[in-house]
Amino acid sequence: MKERFDVSGMTCASCQANVQKAVEKLGVDFVNVNLISETMTVSYDDGKISENDIIKAVEKIGYGAKPKNKKNLKENNKTFDEEKIVKNRLIISFIFLIPLMYVSMGHMINLPLPHFLMGARGSVNFAFLQFLLTLPIVFVNRIFYISGFKALFNKASNMDTLVGLGSFAALIYGIFAIMRMAYGLGFEKFEIVENYRHNLYFESSAMILTLITLGKYFEKKSKGQTKKSLESLMDLAPKKARILKDKKEVEILVEDLKKGDLILVRPGEAIPVDGIVKEGSSLVDESAITGESIPVNKDIGDEVISATLNKQGSFIFEATKVGEDTTLSKIIELVNQANETKAPIAKLADKISAIFVPTVMIISLITFVVWMILGYGFEFSLNFAISVLVISCPCALGLATPMAIMVATGKSAQFGLLFKNAENLENLHKVDTILLDKTGTITEGKPQVTDIISEIDENEFIKIASSIENNSEHPLSHAISEYAKAKNIQAKNIEDFEAISGKGIKAKYENKIYYGGNISLMKEKNIDLKSYEKKADIFSNEGKTSMYFADEKKVIGIIAVQDKPKNLSKIAIDEMKKMGYEVRMITGDNEKTAEAIKNALNIDEKYAEVLPQDKEKEIKNLQKLGKKVLMVGDGINDAPALARSDVSMAIGNGTDVAIESADIILINNNILDIVSALKLSKSTIKIIKENLFWAFFYNIIGIPLAAGLLYPAFGLKLSPMFGAFAMSFSSIFVCLNSLRLRKFKANFENEEKIKEEIEKEKNKNIKEKKMNELNKMIVKVNQMSCNHCKNRVEEILKNISGIENAEVNLDEKLAEVDYFGAIDENEIKEKINDAGYEFVGIEYK
């Protein structure tokens, strides 16, 4: 089984490595510990290992563990509370550190000191006051001692061990110095008093703890900022919902909602769970989930998504996904999973962290011994040994990768990009070849009528074609039916409908047999093709599919249908090629159609007439050539290819199987998101490399300097206080550098063109929606005087194609009309005027 745990007490990469090692020793199948989110994911055989065994193994080495609460993800985030605790510790530390530094170092810049602290006779007072000011700082930051020494005794040394040892050594030496000064005063050996008076280390002990706490505070603050994008999603989901029960409104908690509940949503309210609209309509802002800023129309039968915002009307919807099944919950879960996994680049840091602290402790001991042997004295040698301990903290090393990954995955969720794990985020920047499935990825996945050629009246031809195609489920038939509906051409009832597998259909229309289908059907029925075959070839070279329509003797016309490329496909492919990627297309379509789309979109290579089971083979062949392949698809038949590729993406409105098989999910159906994902991956890896370089470079330079390697030649030495400051700064640098990803923008080269195409797409969607929904208008008519006039005008309007209903108001001289699609205003005007009434105008609602 697989289980997630919250882990407490981790402060650095060594802690992470210690916890991982302790759990691995139990014989689990898999364990991954995340320092930033302070979580652990474990896969194990619950027949051999229990949850309690895992918790005990973690506790034994000085940390805490408990199963993660899945019900309320926000309860698991204690970053804010921890930040507050660390802030309080920091405030108390500075309250006592400022007077301590004044007492210990003020005299160096001629600041006045009270008389009882001055000279040899005031030396014990001088030292003891510093000790008293140091004690509160030591007490509030005692966690470093507790955690550090506990880890040391359990042979699992960590950052706190280094800080604790360095600070404790300075503190003990200070106490020893007070005793030596008391001895000197008692026996009037003033040279001993003077020597120790100038070599107290209380300020170093206090400063080390304060500066490390300062670094921890900035670290906690940065962690909180990395989680803000995720928290903003959580905050969008309301805590309560209004359901309809026995025709009454009842307010309940969102976690108590069940599938099938009818939920009422008013303007300005967030949608609590996923569902289907049952009553009413509205505009819904889905930007938090899809990244698309334009509100979406929602009518009866449309899906609504949890955590999206109702902008306009009230509506009632039926809950279809509740609890952990909602889109929001799945997004949060995927982002958490990505945060809690390790990118391959992090493995190097993990290996070093496992041996880092013991190595530093050995270097510190060697430093002390070497300087003692060289005859520099105890205090001098101790100074260098403490400096090595406090400058070598592995915090920056441990934060380098997970901090960047967490910021990137949080940012990607805002863009509508979901990385299933950190490995995919890293591997994406390694790909060199992008293989795009045609249907639904490059193209709309929805064929549209492009050309009509017929020897009879076009409207009559469309009526025949749409009537016989109306009973077919084929996508091409659907395209013809939609086209007829848009033209307000009503299909008629037919008889003797027959589907001819792989070729077309046959039906009786107005007592006459008609055929609709491909050229094979026409030849099989010995139908005269006339010159239509040549015209169909021209369409084929343009990437269009021709459907022949004929009576029993001859072809009466052809309709060309095409699955058009998406508005942004050409722009997105150009962006990919500018970035240096090789772009290829794979499709089951015929060679001519594929070639036409390849040329139109400037695609490097195509694979046409590929069977579903062979898509995966094509990827394998590319990989044999040494290519790193990114596969993008959306269908069931893409699943094997998605699984085979080095990295895979699924378009968000694709099938569940494709989404399950993919490494990255593009929630919004936007091909440009592929480019955004590629750029985000590159930016993230760049940040991680900068972080790791800084962490390694810092330690390579810092440790020799702290050990005094440059002292004999240049007289350079590093005090423990500056060592602590440098160590804290390295962690802060890594955090701030990672947070730069929060400002990530894809920065497309054709930004203006993209905005223009998005606006076109929006208008097209609105237009299509209006074609399929019931609209209202007011027709103003004069010279109506009685019920006979009323009935006559209503009858005229109802007989006009596309008008569903009409109701005349005699007093106001108007008719309220319900209609579908586009209406011919001239036809309304002519028919009303011909009937002896006066058409005044139309007002659309």
Side-chain angles (χ1 to χ4, degrees):
M1 71 178 286
K2 191 174 183 179
E3 194 159 359
R4 291 164 67 200
F5 296 82
D6 283 318
V7 181
S8 57
M10 292 194 299
T11 54
C12 66
S14 292
C15 300
Q16 178 181 290
N18 291 335
V19 173
Q20 181 127 354
K21 211 182 291 179
V23 177
E24 280 172 349
K25 283 179 183 175
L26 295 173
V28 297
D29 301 324
F30 167 82
V31 59
N32 181 61
V33 183
N34 187 282
L35 176 64
I36 304 297
S37 58
E38 294 176 329
T39 56
M40 172 175 67
T41 306
V42 188
S43 287
Y44 61 98
D45 183 348
D46 56 354
K48 296 176 183 175
I49 302 164
S50 69
E51 185 183 273
N52 218 32
D53 293 333
I54 294 167
I55 292 169
K56 281 181 180 175
V58 175
E59 288 176 346
K60 189 179 176 184
I61 58 164
Y63 305 94
K66 63 177 182 178
K68 199 164 184 67
N69 178 7
K70 293 176 184 175
K71 288 182 181 177
N72 190 343
L73 286 163
K74 202 160 186 185
E75 281 180 8
N76 294 324
N77 181 18
K78 297 178 182 174
T79 307
F80 179 74
D81 292 337
E82 290 175 358
E83 185 185 318
K84 201 173 178 183
I85 291 166
V86 175
K87 186 180 180 181
N88 290 337
R89 277 170 43 198
L90 188 62
I91 290 168
I92 294 167
S93 297
F94 271 112
I95 287 170
F96 288 94
L97 182 67
I98 291 166
L100 172 62
M101 295 304 292
Y102 182 93
V103 170
S104 62
M105 295 186 170
H107 62 281
M108 295 180 185
I109 52 172
N110 297 318
L111 290 175
L113 278 175
H115 182 71
F116 72 94
L117 299 178
M118 296 174 69
R121 296 191 183 277
S123 59
V124 172
N125 289 336
F126 177 71
F128 196 70
L129 180 59
Q130 290 182 50
F131 174 62
L132 291 177
L133 289 168
T134 302
L135 280 181
I137 299 171
V138 169
F139 179 75
V140 295
N141 295 298
R142 61 192 180 280
I143 184 68
F144 292 114
Y145 298 116
I146 295 166
S147 171
F149 287 111
K150 194 173 182 182
L152 182 64
F153 297 144
N154 284 298
K155 298 176 184 175
S157 310
N158 58 22
M159 179 212 77
D160 290 350
T161 307
L162 298 180
V163 173
L165 279 173
S167 173
F168 190 67
L171 183 68
I172 294 300
Y173 180 77
I175 294 169
F176 170 74
I178 291 175
M179 293 170 68
R180 292 291 291 158
M181 282 190 283
Y183 169 81
L185 285 173
F187 291 92
E188 295 186 353
K189 294 183 177 180
F190 293 108
E191 69 279 3
I192 293 175
V193 176
E194 279 301 312
N195 180 40
Y196 281 101
R197 189 179 191 278
H198 295 293
N199 285 292
L200 296 169
Y201 280 95
F202 290 121
E203 79 284 354
S204 289
S205 179
M207 184 66 86
I208 288 166
L209 294 173
T210 304
L211 287 173
I212 301 298
T213 303
L214 178 66
K216 282 287 161 196
Y217 171 69
F218 281 115
E219 190 182 307
K220 293 289 181 192
K221 203 169 181 63
S222 299
K223 283 184 186 180
Q225 288 181 1
T226 64
K227 295 178 182 179
K228 274 186 181 176
S229 56
L230 202 56
E231 284 178 9
S232 64
L233 278 179
M234 294 179 193
D235 290 337
L236 282 173
K239 304 294 177 286
K240 293 180 179 179
R242 205 180 292 105
I243 66 167
L244 297 178
K245 205 168 187 179
D246 301 324
K247 297 183 179 178
K248 290 181 181 177
E249 290 181 26
V250 181
E251 197 169 70
I252 64 169
L253 294 172
V254 168
E255 52 260 41
D256 294 332
L257 285 172
K258 298 185 183 85
K259 280 185 185 179
D261 280 344
L262 291 175
I263 303 163
L264 173 65
V265 183
R266 293 198 173 103
E269 293 180 346
I271 295 164
V273 292
D274 295 9
I276 304 284
V277 178
K278 291 295 179 184
E279 287 181 35
S281 63
S282 183
L283 278 174
V284 175
D285 179 358
E286 296 184 342
S287 58
I289 301 294
T290 65
E292 177 55 64
S293 59
I294 301 162
V296 182
N297 282 311
K298 296 292 178 183
D299 289 310
I300 293 168
D302 288 341
E303 288 184 17
V304 289
I305 305 170
S306 55
T308 56
L309 193 64
N310 181 27
K311 300 286 282 185
Q312 196 170 289
S314 297
F315 63 89
I316 295 167
F317 75 95
E318 181 184 334
T320 55
K321 291 178 183 175
V322 296
E324 292 177 16
D325 294 328
T326 64
T327 302
L328 175 67
S329 294
K330 285 180 178 176
I331 288 171
I332 293 168
E333 183 63 23
L334 278 173
V335 174
N336 276 328
Q337 281 178 20
N339 287 341
E340 290 168 14
T341 55
K342 281 195 183 83
I345 200 170
K347 289 173 184 174
L348 174 64
D350 285 351
K351 285 176 184 174
I352 292 170
S353 297
I355 57 167
F356 187 82
V357 174
T359 304
V360 167
M361 290 169 70
I362 292 166
I363 293 171
S364 176
L365 184 62
I366 290 169
T367 300
F368 178 79
V369 171
V370 167
W371 285 113
M372 285 291 287
I373 291 169
L374 292 173
Y376 280 86
F378 181 80
E379 296 87 356
F380 189 92
S381 305
L382 183 65
N383 185 82
F384 279 128
I386 291 172
S387 294
V388 169
L389 286 174
V390 295
I391 202 171
S392 306
C393 170
C395 280
L397 197 59
L399 294 169
T401 303
M403 183 66 82
I405 292 290
M406 182 168 269
V407 180
T409 51
K411 187 69 181 175
S412 68
Q414 291 180 325
F415 275 111
L417 309 171
L418 289 180
F419 292 85
K420 285 189 178 176
N421 57 52
E423 189 173 349
N424 301 327
L425 182 59
E426 179 182 338
N427 288 341
L428 185 58
H429 93 287
K430 298 175 185 174
V431 302
D432 50 37
T433 304
I434 300 170
L435 188 61
L436 304 170
D437 176 56
K438 181 183 80 73
T439 307
T441 303
I442 294 175
T443 64
E444 297 283 359
K446 190 169 68 176
Q448 296 171 12
V449 172
T450 56
D451 301 271
I452 294 171
I453 298 175
S454 178
E455 59 189 38
I456 64 174
D457 176 70
E458 187 175 293
N459 281 0
E460 182 59 28
F461 173 62
I462 294 167
K463 189 178 282 187
I464 293 168
S466 62
S467 296
I468 67 171
E469 292 286 358
N470 216 24
N471 288 356
S472 174
E473 293 296 320
H474 197 281
L476 299 182
S477 302
H478 184 69
I480 292 169
S481 298
E482 287 294 308
Y483 182 80
K485 196 187 286 185
K487 290 279 186 181
N488 289 322
I489 296 171
Q490 300 287 331
K492 290 191 174 182
N493 291 332
I494 56 163
E495 297 172 344
D496 303 334
F497 176 84
E498 180 189 339
I500 303 165
S501 181
K503 294 177 181 177
I505 56 171
K506 173 188 175 185
K508 188 184 281 187
Y509 172 86
E510 292 187 345
N511 296 317
K512 193 173 179 181
I513 298 293
Y514 286 94
Y515 294 95
N518 56 28
I519 194 166
S520 300
L521 178 63
M522 300 298 117
K523 287 179 178 178
E524 184 185 291
K525 300 297 177 182
N526 296 316
I527 291 167
D528 183 5
L529 295 171
K530 296 190 173 181
S531 61
Y532 287 107
E533 189 174 5
K534 289 179 184 176
K535 290 167 184 173
D537 280 340
I538 294 168
F539 290 142
S540 183
N541 289 329
E542 293 172 359
K544 299 169 184 176
T545 303
S546 295
M547 293 182 70
Y548 294 81
F549 291 89
D551 55 26
E552 291 181 283
K553 292 181 181 178
K554 64 182 186 303
V555 173
I556 60 170
I558 57 173
I559 297 178
V561 176
Q562 186 182 32
D563 183 9
K564 290 183 178 178
K566 294 174 182 175
N567 287 1
L568 294 170
S569 289
K570 177 74 167 65
I571 296 170
I573 288 165
D574 286 346
E575 290 275 351
M576 292 174 209
K577 293 184 75 172
K578 280 173 192 166
M579 290 171 71
Y581 294 102
E582 185 181 349
V583 182
R584 300 183 178 218
M585 178 182 75
I586 193 163
T587 178
D589 267 358
N590 64 67
E591 190 73 32
K592 283 184 178 178
T593 301
E595 185 66 24
I597 289 176
K598 170 185 174 286
N599 294 335
L601 300 181
N602 196 25
I603 292 169
D604 295 312
E605 190 55 76
K606 68 160 197 321
Y607 303 97
E609 298 177 20
V610 180
L611 295 171
Q613 61 269 29
D614 293 334
K615 287 186 178 181
E616 183 255 356
K617 289 178 187 172
E618 295 293 351
I619 291 176
K620 206 187 284 185
N621 292 336
L622 283 170
Q623 288 170 331
K624 282 177 184 174
L625 295 171
K627 306 277 188 187
K628 294 284 183 187
V629 183
L630 164 65
M631 168 73 190
V632 187
D634 74 329
I636 290 173
N637 57 12
D638 296 326
L642 290 168
R644 166 62 61 186
S645 59
D646 295 284
V647 184
S648 57
M649 283 186 189
I651 298 289
N653 64 354
T655 64
D656 288 342
V657 177
I659 290 169
E660 284 299 317
S661 304
D663 301 317
I664 303 158
I665 299 163
L666 310 180
I667 298 175
N668 204 13
N669 186 22
N670 186 345
I671 192 170
L672 266 176
D673 287 345
I674 301 170
V675 182
S676 297
L678 290 163
K679 290 190 174 184
L680 178 61
S681 174
K682 284 178 179 289
S683 296
T684 305
I685 297 306
K686 184 185 174 192
I687 293 287
I688 289 172
K689 285 178 177 176
E690 287 171 359
N691 288 349
L692 287 172
F693 170 79
W694 176 262
F696 285 126
F697 178 77
Y698 163 81
N699 280 306
I700 289 165
I701 297 297
I703 292 173
L705 183 62
L709 221 62
L710 300 180
Y711 183 75
F714 303 101
L716 287 174
K717 86 181 197 182
L718 193 71
S719 85
M721 283 186 293
F722 286 109
F725 174 77
M727 189 283 294
S728 295
F729 179 75
S730 71
S731 296
I732 293 165
F733 174 86
V734 164
C735 292
L736 294 176
N737 194 42
S738 298
L739 286 172
R740 284 168 53 212
L741 282 167
R742 290 189 71 202
K743 295 180 180 177
F744 168 81
K745 286 182 181 176
N747 293 326
F748 303 112
E749 288 195 21
N750 294 305
E751 207 71 60
E752 288 304 314
K753 180 73 174 167
I754 289 166
K755 285 177 186 173
E756 191 182 306
E757 291 299 335
I758 288 171
E759 190 60 32
K760 275 186 195 172
E761 186 69 20
K762 173 193 162 189
N763 293 333
K764 178 186 158 196
N765 290 339
I766 291 170
K767 190 177 177 183
E768 281 180 4
K769 198 150 187 74
K770 282 194 169 291
M771 289 292 181
N772 295 308
E773 65 185 17
L774 195 65
N775 301 297
K776 292 184 181 294
M777 65 179 174
I778 301 292
V779 179
K780 295 176 182 177
V781 183
N782 283 339
Q783 297 179 11
M784 294 187 296
S785 57
C786 61
N787 278 334
H788 171 76
C789 299
K790 175 181 182 293
N791 295 335
R792 180 79 180 110
V793 171
E794 284 178 352
E795 187 184 347
I796 291 167
L797 291 169
K798 285 176 185 176
N799 286 330
I800 292 172
S801 179
I803 291 180
E804 186 76 8
N805 190 38
E807 194 172 320
V808 169
N809 185 321
L810 282 173
D811 295 334
E812 295 186 21
K813 304 293 187 225
L814 56 81
E816 291 186 356
V817 177
D818 296 332
Y819 69 97
F820 284 100
I823 294 294
D824 187 344
E825 290 186 16
N826 287 329
E827 184 182 0
I828 295 173
K829 180 180 178 181
E830 283 172 15
K831 288 192 175 179
I832 286 174
N833 288 341
D834 288 347
Y837 304 100
E838 183 190 351
F839 172 82
V840 178
I842 291 175
E843 183 183 307
Y844 292 95
K845 283 190 173 183

